[in-house]
Amino acid sequence: MASVLPHDLPLGKLVEAVTTYTPSLLRSIERAPQRSAMDVGALPFHGDDAWTCYEFSWLNGKGRPNVAIVKLRVPCNSACIVESKSLKLYLNSFAQTIFSTRAELLTTLNSDLAVAFRAPVMVNLLDPNQSPDPIANLPGKPLDALDIDVEVYHWCPDMLEVDAEKVTVRETLHTHLFKSQCPVTGQPDWASVLVQYVGRRIPPASLLRYLVSFRNHAAFHETTVEQIYVDIMARCAPEHLTVYARFLRRGGIDINPFRTSDAAASLEVRLARQ
Protein backbone atom coordinates (compact mmCIF):
# COMPACT_ATOMS: atom_id res chain seq x y z
CA MET A 1 0.00 0.00 0.00
CA ALA A 2 2.91 2.41 0.57
CA SER A 3 3.36 2.88 -3.20
CA VAL A 4 0.03 4.72 -3.52
CA LEU A 5 0.68 7.12 -0.63
CA PRO A 6 1.83 10.73 -1.01
CA HIS A 7 5.51 11.28 -0.19
CA ASP A 8 4.93 14.32 2.00
CA LEU A 9 2.89 12.70 4.78
CA PRO A 10 3.94 13.94 8.23
CA LEU A 11 3.18 10.57 9.82
CA GLY A 12 6.28 9.01 11.34
CA LYS A 13 8.36 12.16 10.89
CA LEU A 14 9.58 14.91 13.19
CA VAL A 15 7.59 18.02 12.39
CA GLU A 16 7.58 21.58 13.64
CA ALA A 17 4.71 22.52 15.96
CA VAL A 18 2.63 25.20 14.24
CA THR A 19 0.22 27.18 16.41
CA THR A 20 -1.13 29.74 13.94
CA TYR A 21 -3.82 28.76 11.48
CA THR A 22 -2.23 26.83 8.57
CA PRO A 23 -4.66 24.91 6.32
CA SER A 24 -1.80 23.74 4.09
CA LEU A 25 -0.89 21.22 6.82
CA LEU A 26 -3.75 18.95 5.69
CA ARG A 27 -2.68 15.99 3.56
CA SER A 28 -5.22 14.20 1.38
CA ILE A 29 -4.96 10.55 0.33
CA GLU A 30 -7.09 9.38 -2.59
CA ARG A 31 -9.36 6.45 -1.84
CA ALA A 32 -9.38 5.14 -5.43
CA PRO A 33 -5.98 3.40 -5.52
CA GLN A 34 -6.67 1.59 -2.24
CA ARG A 35 -10.09 0.49 -3.49
CA SER A 36 -8.65 -0.62 -6.82
CA ALA A 37 -6.38 -2.99 -4.89
CA MET A 38 -9.57 -4.58 -3.51
CA ASP A 39 -11.22 -4.67 -6.97
CA VAL A 40 -13.81 -2.15 -5.78
CA GLY A 41 -15.13 -0.02 -8.62
CA ALA A 42 -18.65 1.32 -8.13
CA LEU A 43 -19.11 1.41 -4.37
CA PRO A 44 -20.89 -1.75 -3.14
CA PHE A 45 -21.71 -0.11 0.20
CA HIS A 46 -23.03 2.99 1.91
CA GLY A 47 -21.71 4.59 5.08
CA ASP A 48 -19.36 7.15 6.51
CA ASP A 49 -16.31 7.71 8.69
CA ALA A 50 -16.97 9.32 12.07
CA TRP A 51 -13.95 11.16 13.47
CA THR A 52 -13.69 12.43 17.04
CA CYS A 53 -10.89 14.92 17.67
CA TYR A 54 -10.37 15.56 21.38
CA GLU A 55 -7.56 18.12 21.18
CA PHE A 56 -8.73 21.47 19.79
CA SER A 57 -8.30 25.02 21.01
CA TRP A 58 -8.45 28.57 19.63
CA LEU A 59 -8.53 32.16 20.89
CA ASN A 60 -11.75 34.18 21.04
CA GLY A 61 -12.04 37.82 20.09
CA LYS A 62 -10.56 38.88 23.44
CA GLY A 63 -7.61 36.51 23.15
CA ARG A 64 -8.96 34.05 25.71
CA PRO A 65 -8.44 30.35 24.94
CA ASN A 66 -11.47 28.21 24.13
CA VAL A 67 -11.48 24.41 23.84
CA ALA A 68 -13.85 21.97 22.17
CA ILE A 69 -14.20 18.44 20.80
CA VAL A 70 -14.42 18.36 17.01
CA LYS A 71 -16.78 15.79 15.50
CA LEU A 72 -16.46 15.03 11.79
CA ARG A 73 -18.67 12.88 9.61
CA VAL A 74 -17.12 12.07 6.24
CA PRO A 75 -19.19 10.28 3.56
CA CYS A 76 -17.61 7.09 2.26
CA ASN A 77 -18.01 8.38 -1.30
CA SER A 78 -15.60 11.26 -0.66
CA ALA A 79 -12.71 11.21 -3.11
CA CYS A 80 -10.13 11.33 -0.32
CA ILE A 81 -9.37 10.51 3.25
CA VAL A 82 -7.12 12.81 5.28
CA GLU A 83 -4.00 11.48 6.96
CA SER A 84 -4.75 11.66 10.68
CA LYS A 85 -1.49 13.25 11.86
CA SER A 86 -1.91 16.02 9.30
CA LEU A 87 -5.40 16.64 10.69
CA LYS A 88 -3.96 16.79 14.21
CA LEU A 89 -1.31 19.30 13.09
CA TYR A 90 -3.94 21.34 11.28
CA LEU A 91 -6.22 21.46 14.31
CA ASN A 92 -3.28 22.35 16.57
CA SER A 93 -2.53 25.30 14.29
CA PHE A 94 -5.68 27.00 15.59
CA ALA A 95 -4.27 27.23 19.13
CA GLN A 96 -2.91 30.79 18.88
CA THR A 97 -5.34 32.05 16.24
CA ILE A 98 -8.16 34.49 17.02
CA PHE A 99 -11.66 33.78 15.75
CA SER A 100 -14.15 36.45 16.75
CA THR A 101 -17.17 34.13 16.58
CA ARG A 102 -17.90 30.42 16.70
CA ALA A 103 -19.66 30.77 13.34
CA GLU A 104 -16.45 32.09 11.76
CA LEU A 105 -14.53 29.15 13.21
CA LEU A 106 -17.04 26.58 11.91
CA THR A 107 -17.08 28.17 8.47
CA THR A 108 -13.29 27.88 8.32
CA LEU A 109 -13.29 24.23 9.42
CA ASN A 110 -16.08 23.28 6.99
CA SER A 111 -14.37 24.99 4.06
CA ASP A 112 -10.89 23.55 4.68
CA LEU A 113 -12.08 20.01 5.37
CA ALA A 114 -14.40 19.92 2.35
CA VAL A 115 -11.36 20.72 0.19
CA ALA A 116 -9.17 18.13 1.93
CA PHE A 117 -11.73 15.29 1.78
CA ARG A 118 -13.05 16.50 -1.59
CA ALA A 119 -16.60 16.24 -0.31
CA PRO A 120 -18.89 18.11 2.05
CA VAL A 121 -18.04 17.14 5.64
CA MET A 122 -20.35 17.51 8.64
CA VAL A 123 -18.47 19.38 11.39
CA ASN A 124 -19.72 19.82 14.96
CA LEU A 125 -18.04 21.53 17.88
CA LEU A 126 -18.85 20.04 21.27
CA ASP A 127 -18.11 21.63 24.62
CA PRO A 128 -15.72 19.59 26.83
CA ASN A 129 -18.57 18.60 29.16
CA GLN A 130 -20.56 17.12 26.28
CA SER A 131 -20.13 13.43 25.52
CA PRO A 132 -19.35 12.87 21.82
CA ASP A 133 -21.61 9.80 21.85
CA PRO A 134 -23.31 7.80 24.60
CA ILE A 135 -21.04 5.16 26.14
CA ALA A 136 -22.60 1.75 25.55
CA ASN A 137 -21.82 -1.79 24.46
CA LEU A 138 -21.84 -2.95 20.88
CA PRO A 139 -25.05 -4.84 20.09
CA GLY A 140 -25.12 -8.56 19.37
CA LYS A 141 -23.15 -11.58 20.53
CA PRO A 142 -19.51 -11.24 21.63
CA LEU A 143 -16.98 -13.52 19.97
CA ASP A 144 -14.24 -13.00 22.54
CA ALA A 145 -15.09 -15.96 24.79
CA LEU A 146 -14.62 -18.48 21.97
CA ASP A 147 -11.81 -20.88 22.89
CA ILE A 148 -10.29 -21.21 19.43
CA ASP A 149 -6.86 -22.19 18.12
CA VAL A 150 -5.24 -19.39 16.11
CA GLU A 151 -2.19 -19.76 13.88
CA VAL A 152 -2.63 -17.08 11.20
CA TYR A 153 -1.93 -13.41 11.96
CA HIS A 154 -1.73 -12.03 8.43
CA TRP A 155 -4.87 -11.08 6.51
CA CYS A 156 -6.47 -14.30 5.28
CA PRO A 157 -9.97 -14.19 3.76
CA ASP A 158 -9.78 -17.98 3.32
CA MET A 159 -10.65 -18.17 7.03
CA LEU A 160 -14.23 -17.19 6.21
CA GLU A 161 -16.75 -20.01 5.92
CA VAL A 162 -20.51 -20.49 5.67
CA ASP A 163 -22.64 -23.35 6.94
CA ALA A 164 -23.55 -26.02 4.40
CA GLU A 165 -27.25 -25.65 5.25
CA LYS A 166 -28.92 -23.04 3.06
CA VAL A 167 -30.83 -21.49 5.93
CA THR A 168 -31.06 -17.71 6.21
CA VAL A 169 -30.18 -16.24 9.60
CA ARG A 170 -29.86 -12.72 10.98
CA GLU A 171 -26.86 -12.26 13.27
CA THR A 172 -24.95 -9.45 14.92
CA LEU A 173 -21.49 -10.40 16.20
CA HIS A 174 -18.66 -8.32 17.64
CA THR A 175 -15.15 -8.58 19.00
CA HIS A 176 -12.78 -6.35 20.96
CA LEU A 177 -9.76 -8.43 19.95
CA PHE A 178 -9.12 -6.65 16.67
CA LYS A 179 -5.72 -5.20 15.83
CA SER A 180 -4.16 -4.01 12.59
CA GLN A 181 -1.16 -1.80 11.81
CA CYS A 182 -0.59 1.69 10.49
CA PRO A 183 0.71 1.33 6.90
CA VAL A 184 3.20 4.17 7.39
CA THR A 185 4.63 3.72 10.90
CA GLY A 186 3.80 0.09 11.69
CA GLN A 187 2.26 1.20 14.99
CA PRO A 188 -0.68 -0.89 16.29
CA ASP A 189 -4.25 0.17 15.59
CA TRP A 190 -6.64 -1.31 18.17
CA ALA A 191 -10.37 -1.58 17.54
CA SER A 192 -13.68 -3.20 18.34
CA VAL A 193 -15.41 -4.59 15.24
CA LEU A 194 -19.07 -5.40 14.63
CA VAL A 195 -20.40 -7.58 11.81
CA GLN A 196 -24.14 -7.72 11.19
CA TYR A 197 -25.54 -9.80 8.37
CA VAL A 198 -28.56 -11.58 6.91
CA GLY A 199 -27.72 -14.73 4.98
CA ARG A 200 -26.29 -18.22 5.38
CA ARG A 201 -24.77 -18.64 8.82
CA ILE A 202 -21.12 -17.71 9.22
CA PRO A 203 -19.63 -19.92 11.96
CA PRO A 204 -18.51 -17.56 14.76
CA ALA A 205 -15.13 -19.28 15.11
CA SER A 206 -14.53 -18.77 11.39
CA LEU A 207 -15.35 -15.08 11.63
CA LEU A 208 -13.15 -14.55 14.68
CA ARG A 209 -10.17 -16.31 13.09
CA TYR A 210 -10.62 -14.14 10.01
CA LEU A 211 -10.74 -10.91 12.03
CA VAL A 212 -7.69 -11.96 14.08
CA SER A 213 -5.81 -12.54 10.81
CA PHE A 214 -5.62 -8.73 10.41
CA ARG A 215 -3.32 -8.58 13.43
CA ASN A 216 -0.21 -7.79 11.37
CA HIS A 217 -2.01 -6.34 8.34
CA ALA A 218 -1.06 -2.77 7.39
CA ALA A 219 -3.85 -0.51 6.15
CA PHE A 220 -5.66 2.66 7.10
CA HIS A 221 -8.79 2.28 9.25
CA GLU A 222 -11.17 3.07 6.40
CA THR A 223 -9.52 0.62 4.01
CA THR A 224 -9.47 -2.10 6.67
CA VAL A 225 -13.23 -1.91 7.23
CA GLU A 226 -13.89 -1.88 3.50
CA GLN A 227 -11.64 -4.93 3.09
CA ILE A 228 -13.66 -6.80 5.74
CA TYR A 229 -16.90 -5.83 4.00
CA VAL A 230 -15.64 -6.89 0.56
CA ASP A 231 -14.24 -10.19 1.86
CA ILE A 232 -17.43 -11.19 3.65
CA MET A 233 -19.54 -10.28 0.63
CA ALA A 234 -17.28 -12.27 -1.71
CA ARG A 235 -16.90 -15.36 0.51
CA CYS A 236 -20.26 -15.54 2.28
CA ALA A 237 -22.63 -13.66 -0.07
CA PRO A 238 -25.02 -12.32 2.59
CA GLU A 239 -28.23 -10.61 1.52
CA HIS A 240 -27.45 -7.68 3.83
CA LEU A 241 -24.20 -6.72 5.53
CA THR A 242 -22.91 -4.07 7.92
CA VAL A 243 -19.34 -3.73 9.16
CA TYR A 244 -18.55 -1.16 11.85
CA ALA A 245 -15.26 -0.51 13.65
CA ARG A 246 -14.53 1.67 16.67
CA PHE A 247 -10.79 2.35 16.62
CA LEU A 248 -9.05 3.61 19.73
CA ARG A 249 -7.68 7.14 19.54
CA ARG A 250 -4.11 7.89 18.52
CA GLY A 251 -2.83 11.44 18.75
CA GLY A 252 -6.11 12.54 20.30
CA ILE A 253 -8.19 11.34 17.33
CA ASP A 254 -10.36 8.26 16.85
CA ILE A 255 -11.75 7.16 13.47
CA ASN A 256 -14.83 4.94 13.26
CA PRO A 257 -15.74 3.67 9.77
CA PHE A 258 -19.24 2.33 9.06
CA ARG A 259 -20.03 0.40 5.87
CA THR A 260 -23.40 -1.15 5.07
CA SER A 261 -25.52 -2.50 2.23
CA ASP A 262 -28.55 -0.69 3.69
CA ALA A 263 -28.59 3.00 2.80
CA ALA A 264 -30.93 3.72 5.73
CA ALA A 265 -28.83 1.94 8.38
CA SER A 266 -26.86 3.82 11.02
CA LEU A 267 -25.03 3.05 14.25
CA GLU A 268 -22.86 5.19 16.50
CA VAL A 269 -21.82 3.90 19.91
CA ARG A 270 -18.82 5.06 21.90
CA LEU A 271 -17.27 2.25 23.93
CA ALA A 272 -15.86 2.46 27.46
CA ARG A 273 -12.37 1.72 26.06
CA GLN A 274 -12.59 4.85 23.92
Side-chain angles (χ1 to χ4, degrees), residues 148-164:
I148 60 171
D149 294 325
V150 180
E151 297 179 349
V152 178
Y153 303 103
H154 292 273
W155 167 58
C156 184
D158 291 341
M159 294 286 177
L160 288 166
E161 303 171 359
V162 291
D163 278 355

Side-chain angles (χ1 to χ4, degrees), residues 23 26 28 79-82 109-121:
L26 289 166
S28 303
C80 294
I81 63 174
V82 168
L109 288 166
N110 273 296
S111 176
D112 292 345
L113 294 171
V115 171
F117 285 101
R118 296 189 203 166
V121 176

Side-chain angles (χ1 to χ4, degrees), residues 39-270:
D39 292 325
V40 173
L43 295 188
F45 42 67
H46 309 274
D48 55 31
D49 305 319
W51 296 58
T52 316
C53 311
Y54 293 88
E55 302 173 5
F56 184 61
S57 181
W58 71 100
L59 304 180
N60 70 8
K62 296 181 178 181
R64 193 205 70 178
N66 283 356
V67 296
I69 298 169
V70 180
K71 286 272 297 178
L72 309 179
R73 190 172 291 278
V74 182
C76 70
N77 61 1
S78 69
C80 294
I81 63 174
V82 168
E83 191 276 305
S84 60
K85 184 174 179 179
S86 80
L87 179 63
K88 174 186 175 69
L89 295 171
Y90 162 74
L91 294 177
N92 283 345
S93 79
F94 284 73
Q96 291 299 120
T97 306
I98 291 177
F99 288 87
S100 299
T101 66
R102 204 175 181 96
E104 179 190 357
L105 177 63
L106 276 169
T107 297
T108 301
L109 288 166
N110 273 296
S111 176
D112 292 345
L113 294 171
V115 171
F117 285 101
R118 296 189 203 166
V121 176
M122 185 182 298
V123 182
N124 287 319
L125 287 180
L126 304 181
D127 291 328
N129 291 328
Q130 288 180 268
S131 173
D133 302 294
I135 293 179
N137 296 319
L138 287 173
K141 301 175 184 176
L143 298 172
D144 298 357
L146 293 176
D147 187 18
I148 60 171
D149 294 325
V150 180
E151 297 179 349
V152 178
Y153 303 103
H154 292 273
W155 167 58
C156 184
D158 291 341
M159 294 286 177
L160 288 166
E161 303 171 359
V162 291
D163 278 355
E165 292 186 35
K166 296 183 179 181
V167 177
T168 298
V169 302
R170 179 186 295 271
E171 278 202 303
T172 302
L173 304 166
H174 67 259
T175 179
H176 302 293
L177 305 183
F178 192 87
K179 172 190 168 292
S180 55
Q181 290 183 181
C182 171
V184 179
T185 66
Q187 291 297 305
D189 290 325
W190 306 96
S192 299
V193 175
L194 174 143
V195 174
Q196 187 175 73
Y197 71 95
V198 177
R200 290 172 62 184
R201 181 176 178 271
I202 304 172
S206 159
L207 180 60
L208 183 58
R209 287 191 182 95
Y210 163 71
L211 293 174
V212 169
S213 79
F214 279 84
R215 199 162 179 85
N216 293 311
H217 182 66
F220 290 114
H221 301 349
E222 301 92 335
T223 307
T224 296
V225 170
E226 292 179 3
Q227 186 70 67
I228 295 170
Y229 184 100
V230 168
D231 288 346
I232 293 175
M233 271 295 186
R235 302 277 170 160
C236 306
E239 299 169 25
H240 300 284
L241 176 63
T242 293
V243 179
Y244 181 42
R246 299 288 306 188
F247 280 88
L248 304 193
R249 73 183 78 166
R250 284 205 289 122
I253 296 174
D254 64 42
I255 307 172
N256 308 288
F258 177 84
R259 300 293 183 269
T260 182
S261 58
D262 181 358
S266 64
L267 179 62
E268 190 155 8
V269 176
R270 187 162 65 100

